[in-house]
Every structure is written in structure tokens, then in C-alpha cells.
């Protein structure tokens, strides 16, 4: 029997990466889920708003709903290994369906609500999904539009019946009817037997890639992969029993899936579902989470909002805020370097913390935040330092769908700003040919569904995962310098990785995103997405006339503002790496636009294709 150790009160293997991997004695998601629900009983597992009021649901509720859905699906013909797809915003039903699939030995696959009908049809057909859960009439319409392209579907189950009272379709049923079917066929012995039949090597979930380099690929993650991701998250997340979390990134995304769906099974934390992406900042204040995990775009947005509020304050308020941040920056310079903070610096910070920063964190909903985590895209080191300055310890990590979400992470006791941290225990990282970052560990995926050629390309001959990222290892810390496919080779033969330049540009609170252009060209240029809220405030304060977003982007004063921001960044780079010209993308992009991923990252190839006229104009 492998020895065990205690990590945050949870028993795990003494040697990370040791097989068989067990957490609290459990080798699969479903057995851990069942044990935790029985152990916690009436304690609150998650909360969701109903008519504007937070409603609490217990661990017993969680287990009951998952069992009824699972037994209902079994009555409809679900077999072990079948794929169950979920097309919904984050909510408790998403959790119930995912866990029902795990308990019945099925494979769970999430679909982004921003996907089109044709994209849905591709994912369902590629995975041979037999059961599709949809949130409401809007998502149901996608199935109805492309039904002929999804012959594998046996049944479509609808969460919300509002607006569908007269709807009837031979392949469709409502969730309430599935619950009723589950009650009719409820059998605890059968349910437990299905849970116990799952093996660590069985595929647990499919996570489809964003499809920026071709058709989306279904990343197959096994039970063991997910448990390894959960174990890794214990090292970097501040959650413990009863801690509050906020779930708002799409649960299709591996980072949110691990953090909000699976890790709570380990530590018995409480998940609060945000009402919508638009209400995230209000919901943060209401939930006041102990830990908050988000992509850089969210952290950038919080930073921008704070600066707008500071600009709108009185002269005295602006002065106090500036002094408070400077006091925080002086302290952060020591804490980030792992050095003791001198008494005078600490006392000066404590004063401004009482006067300003403590109230700021309370207003942001970060007054109880033990630790924040950012990942899924590069973030500016300056932004990390700013958060530490206001008393929000924010750390950067790195992972992929193919590594079950987490591979490296910075920690309070082991942090190097500008890096993505050291490998978590049980994960090995090396730098391979062409400076490619390569990874090995129990968290590394099984392969791509139906694509043995792509799976083979993803691994080296000796079995290491090829990440496609380039970087270096500095004193054990992984530093990512760019993507192999994004390397720019100028007409003069200079190799440039644009990620660092783009990250520095995005630290400007007037720039939301940027794409550096220059492959096989004489010099670098840039496509810029402005931060609407901050630039509008800038224009209004200076009485710059504009009628809509497009006219705002064309205002000479705005163009001058962005030029000044680019000039400031240019001074930090060598001459060949400086931006010589830029154009503004004058349309507001959302996750529904092809230029953006569901986690609000610009797709470089799509942006270059869609805005070719702007690029050509700069040359």
C-alpha cells in the first residue's frame, strides 16, 4: 500500500505522481463525491440566486440530484462510456449533470453557450454524444437548427421550461421529467455499483480545444488525470472546508472545471454561482470569496475599474489613494522578493491599509481573499505587483486542458514575478528542442478523441507532452516567452516573440488587448482593442465628441492617447521590437465573435484574417 501524507487536511499519496493516485483513499471522482456528500450532509455545498436572492443547497441535495439524473439516464439507455454533453451557463444543474455522468461511468463534455448551431453539431457528432443537456429555449434552438447533423443523439434534456410550455419534440424532454423518471427507477444498490465500477484509467471528461489551429480536438482526461489536477490544485489554492468560492468562468474551461467542480470535492468548500458574466463584480462583493481564480482579462478589468473610481474621487481621495498604493508598492517589493519587510515600511503600509486599502478591498469583495490565482493567458508582471500593493496576493500559474488545468504555480513561499512558478509536486517540466516547454506527470491527458495522428504529434518519442509554448527554466521557475506558432520572423530575419510586448501594452488601463503583427515584414505594427470604459471616461473628461464606439476609436484625441501608451512601452524594448504603427479595432467584441475565445482571449490568426485591410494599411 502506498504511504500517505496530509495536505490541507486531505490524505494524498506520500510521493506525488505515485500510482495508484488516491485522495482520501479514493481513486475516482465518483467515489470521492459520494463520500464527501455523505460526510457533509446538510452543510452548504453551493449557492445560486433565484429571483435575486441567494439560495443554499446542501451536499445531500447534490448527491440526490446527481443520483436521480443518473438513474433517469440509465432508464433512457445510458451505457458506460457514453458521452453526455452539457450546453448551459454555469449553474447547479451543470454540476448535477456532470456528476451524474461520473457516477454512471459516462463521459462528460461541456459546450460553450457562445458556440453556434454548426459548432454544436460538430462537437456532438465528433464525440458521438448520446444525451445533450441544454439550458433554455435559446440553446434548444441550436439543436433544432442542426438536428439532422446530430444522428447520435438519443435525447435532449432541457433545464428551463420557460417559454416552452407548448413545446413538443420526440427527442426532447424537460429536466423535471428526467427527475421523475429517476425516482421511478431509483435503486441505491445499482447506483453504488455503477460508482464502484469506474476505474482510474477510464475517460472522465472531454475538453474541446478552441480550434484556433484547425477543427476543435476532444482532449480526453481520465479519472486519474482529474485527480492529479485536483491534487495539484491543493498546493496553490487557498480553499479549505467551508471556504467560499465564486464560479463564473465557463465550466467547459478546464481551469474553472477543476477549481469549482472537482476541487470542492476534496476540501468541502462552498461554490457560489455568478448570475452572469455581466454581474461578476457585483457577485464578488456579495460572496466575498476566500480564493478567486480568473483569467487575466478579469484582473485587468478590476484594475481599470479601480483607476476610474480613483479618477472620479475628490482631490483628497486621489491623493490618499496614490499614497496608499505607493506604501503598498514599497511593501510588495520586499514580500515579492521573499525578503523581510523593514519595520518602517511595514508601519507605513499598515497605516494606509487602515485608512484606504482595507476599504478598497471590501468594496471589491476581496476583503477575505487569502490568495488570488491567474492563468490561461499571460499577465503583466506590473499588474501582479499592483495587486500585491493593494493587499491582494495574486499569483500566476500555468496549465492546459492537456495537463488537467494545473502544471506550475507560484506560491507565497516560492514566487518569482514574471514566471509561472515551479512545477507542482508530481509534475516534471523540461525545455526541449527549439526551447519548447515539455511536461510529464499523471495529470497529462490520454490523447485526442478520434485523432491518433494529432495525439502522436502531441508527445515526444520518450513520452513528454509537447506544449507548443517556448520558454526557459530559471532557478526552478518556468518562464514562458511565447507560443511556437506565434513567433514573428521579420523581413530582416529577427525572431521576435510578441507575448511580452502584448502583455506590457495590456497593462495600460486604456488598452484591453493587443495583437502584434510583423511576420515576414520590415517592422512591427499592432492591432489594439481599447478599454471602452476607461477611454470613454478619458474622452468625456476632455469633452471629446463621440456618438458610438466606432466614432470613439476614430477621435484624434483617442488615437493620440493610444500612441502615447505605445511610445511608453516602446522605450522598454530594443529598436527592432518597437511598434512602428497601430490601428484600433473599432467594433466591440464579445465571446460570441470568432475573434475571441470563450475566455476572452484574442485568436491571433482569426484577428489577422478579419482585419487584413487594417494590417495592409499599416504597410
Amino acid at each position: 500500500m502506498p504511504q500517505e501524507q496530509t495536505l490541507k487536511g486531505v490524505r494524498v499519496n506520500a510521493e506525488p505522481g505515485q500510482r495508484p493516485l488516491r485522495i482520501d483513499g479514493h481513486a475516482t471522482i465518483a467515489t470521492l463525491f459520494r463520500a464527501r456528500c455523505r460526510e457533509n450532509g446538510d452543510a452548504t455545498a453551493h449557492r445560486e440566486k433565484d429571483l435575486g436572492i441567494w439560495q443554499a443547497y446542501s451536499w445531500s441535495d447534490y448527491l440526490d440530484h446527481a443520483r436521480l439524473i443518473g438513474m433517469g439516464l440509465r432508464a433512457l439507455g445510458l451505457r458506460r462510456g457514453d458521452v453526455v454533453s452539457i450546453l448551459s451557463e454555469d449553474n447547479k444543474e451543470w454540476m448535477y449533470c456532470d456528476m451524474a455522468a461520473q457516477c454512471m461511468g459516462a463521459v462528460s463534455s461541456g459546450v460553450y453557450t457562445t458556440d453556434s448551431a454548426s459548432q454544436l453539431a460538430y462537437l456532438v457528432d465528433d464525440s458521438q454524444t448520446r444525451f445533450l443537456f441544454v439550458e433554455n429555449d435559446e440553446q434548444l434552438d441550436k439543436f433544432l437548427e442542426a438536428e439532422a447533423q446530430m444522428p447520435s443523439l438519443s435525447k435532449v434534456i432541457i433545464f428551463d421550461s420557460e417559454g416552452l410550455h407548448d413545446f413538443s419534440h420526440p427527442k426532447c424532454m424537460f429536466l423535471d421529467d428526467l427527475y421523475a423518471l429517476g425516482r421511478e427507477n431509483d435503486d441505491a444498490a445499482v447506483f453504488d455499483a455503477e460508482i464502484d465500477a469506474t476505474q482510474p484509467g477510464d475517460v472522465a471528461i472531454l475538453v474541446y480545444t478552441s480550434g484556433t489551429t484547425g477543427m476543435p480536438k476532444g482532449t480526453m482526461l481520465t479519472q486519474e488525470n482529474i485527480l492529479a489536477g485536483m491534487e495539484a490544485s491543493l498546493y496553490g489554492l487557498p480553499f479549505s472546508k467551508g471556504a467560499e468560492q465564486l464560479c463564473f468562468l465557463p465550466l467547459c474551461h478546464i481551469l474553472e472545471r477543476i477549481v469549482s467542480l472537482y476541487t470542492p470535492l476534496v476540501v468541502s468548500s462552498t461554490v457560489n454561482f455568478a448570475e452572469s458574466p455581466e454581474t461578476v463584480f457585483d457577485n464578488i462583493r456579495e460572496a466575498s470569496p476566500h480564493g478567486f481564480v480568473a483569467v487575466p482579462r478579469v484582473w485587468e478589468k478590476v484594475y481599470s475599474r479601480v483607476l476610474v473610481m480613483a479618477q472620479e474621487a475628490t482631490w483628497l481621495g486621489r491623493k490618499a489613494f496614490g499614497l496608499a498604493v505607493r506604501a503598498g508598492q514599497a511593501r510588495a517589493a520586499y514580500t515579492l522578493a521573499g525578503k523581510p519587510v523593514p519595520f518602517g515600511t511595514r508601519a507605513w503600509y499598515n497605516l494606509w491599509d487602515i485608512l484606504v486599502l482595507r476599504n478598497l478591498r471590501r468594496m471589491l469583495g476581496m476583503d477575505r481573499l487569502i490568495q488570488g490565482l491567474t492563468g490561461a493567458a499571460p499577465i503583466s508582471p506590473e499588474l501582479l505587483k499592483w495587486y500585491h500593493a493593494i493587499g491582494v496576493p495574486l499569483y500566476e500559474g500555468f496549465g492546459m486542458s492537456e495537463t488537467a488545468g494545473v502544471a506550475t504555480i507560484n506560491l507565497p513561499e516560492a514566487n518569482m514575478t514574471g514566471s509561472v512558478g515551479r512545477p507542482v509536486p508530481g509534475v516534471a517540466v523540461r525545455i526541449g528542442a527549439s526551447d519548447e516547454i515539455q511536461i510529464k506527470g499523471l495529470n497529462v491527458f490520454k490523447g485526442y478523441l478520434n485523432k491518433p495522428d494529432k495525439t502522436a504529434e502531441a508527445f515526444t518519442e520518450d513520452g513528454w507532452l509537447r506544449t507548443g509554448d517556448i520558454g526557459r527554466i530559471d532557478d526552478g521557475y518556468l518562464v514562458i516567452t511565447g507560443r511556437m506558432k506565434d513567433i514573428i520572423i521579420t523581413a530582416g530575419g529577427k525572431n521576435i516573440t510578441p507575448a511580452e510586448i502584448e502583455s506590457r501594452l495590456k497593462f495600460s488601463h486604456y488598452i484591453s488587448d493587443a495583437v502584434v503583427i510583423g511576420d515576414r515584414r520590415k517592422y512591427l505594427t499592432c492591432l489594439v482593442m481599447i478599454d471602452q470604459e476607461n477611454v470613454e471616461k478619458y474622452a468625456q473628461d476632455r469633452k471629446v465628441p463621440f456618438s458610438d464606439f466606432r466614432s470613439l476609436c476614430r477621435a484624434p484625441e483617442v488615437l493620440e492617447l493610444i500612441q502615447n501608451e505605445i511610445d511608453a512601452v516602446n522605450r522598454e524594448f530594443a529598436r527592432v521590437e518597437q511598434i512602428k504603427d497601430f490601428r484600433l479595432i473599432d467594433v466591440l467584441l464579445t465571446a460570441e465573435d470568432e475573434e475571441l475565445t470563450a475566455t476572452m482571449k484574442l485568436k491571433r490568426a482569426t484577428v489577422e484574417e478579419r482585419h487584413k485591410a487594417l494590417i495592409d494599411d499599416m504597410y
Side-chain angles (χ1 to χ4, degrees), residues 489-549:
I489 304 176
T490 65
K494 176 69 175 177
N495 282 27
I496 296 171
T497 52
E500 187 177 356
I501 304 170
E502 292 165 351
S503 177
R504 191 62 192 85
L505 286 168
K506 288 189 287 184
F507 184 65
S508 163
H509 58 284
Y510 297 120
I511 296 176
S512 175
D513 214 333
V515 173
V516 173
I517 311 294
D519 197 42
R520 299 187 299 277
R521 300 181 188 267
K522 295 179 181 179
Y523 51 84
L524 299 187
T525 60
C526 189
L527 292 175
V528 174
M529 280 178 59
I530 63 172
D531 185 291
Q532 181 187 17
E533 188 175 6
N534 285 340
V535 174
E536 282 184 353
K537 177 72 168 54
Y538 177 89
Q540 290 164 355
D541 289 346
R542 288 156 182 78
K543 296 181 171 53
V544 175
F546 67 94
S547 57
D548 55 18
F549 186 73

Side-chain angles (χ1 to χ4, degrees), residues 287-298:
S288 190
H290 293 88
F292 187 59
V293 181
V295 293
R297 181 65 65 88
V298 174

Side-chain angles (χ1 to χ4, degrees), residues 307-314 318 537 541:
L307 291 195
V308 168
M309 288 189 294
Q311 291 169 5
E312 292 175 343
T314 62
R318 291 195 300 273
K537 177 72 168 54
D541 289 346

Side-chain angles (χ1 to χ4, degrees), residues 550-616:
R550 178 162 293 180
S551 64
L552 177 69
C553 291
R554 294 177 179 177
E557 295 86 348
V558 170
L559 294 173
E560 182 181 0
L561 168 70
I562 301 303
Q563 181 66 67
N564 291 338
E565 297 295 302
I566 290 175
D567 289 344
V569 171
N570 276 341
R571 288 192 284 272
E572 301 177 23
F573 291 92
R575 190 175 185 85
V576 72
E577 297 172 314
Q578 293 178 356
I579 306 298
K580 298 298 190 292
D581 202 355
F582 74 96
R583 293 291 185 273
L584 301 186
I585 297 175
D586 59 3
V587 290
L588 279 171
L589 299 177
T590 69
E592 296 181 3
D593 292 293
E594 288 189 20
E595 289 100 318
L596 285 180
T597 68
T599 50
M600 306 303 287
K601 291 183 291 185
L602 278 174
K603 299 178 183 178
R604 184 180 303 274
T606 306
V607 167
E608 291 185 19
E609 179 185 337
R610 288 288 180 89
H611 301 282
K612 185 177 182 300
L614 289 179
I615 295 171
D616 291 344

Side-chain angles (χ1 to χ4, degrees), residues 63 277 294 328 348 408:
L63 181 59
W348 188 237
T408 68

Side-chain angles (χ1 to χ4, degrees), residues 4 11 87 99 149 222 233 287 311 321 393 444 468 483 495 531 564 577 611:
E4 294 179 325
R11 291 176 296 118
L87 174 57
M99 212 50 64
Q149 301 169 47
T222 66
S233 71
Q311 291 169 5
F321 175 74
V444 174
R483 291 284 292 169
N495 282 27
D531 185 291
N564 291 338
E577 297 172 314
H611 301 282

Side-chain angles (χ1 to χ4, degrees), residues 68-101:
L68 293 177
I69 291 173
M71 295 305 292
L73 290 176
R74 189 174 185 274
L76 290 171
L78 178 72
R79 300 183 299 268
R80 301 189 67 80
D82 282 347
V83 177
V84 174
S85 291
I86 308 166
L87 174 57
S88 171
E89 298 287 358
D90 297 351
N91 50 42
K92 63 184 187 300
E93 286 78 16
W94 213 114
M95 268 186 167
Y96 298 160
C97 294
D98 183 276
M99 212 50 64

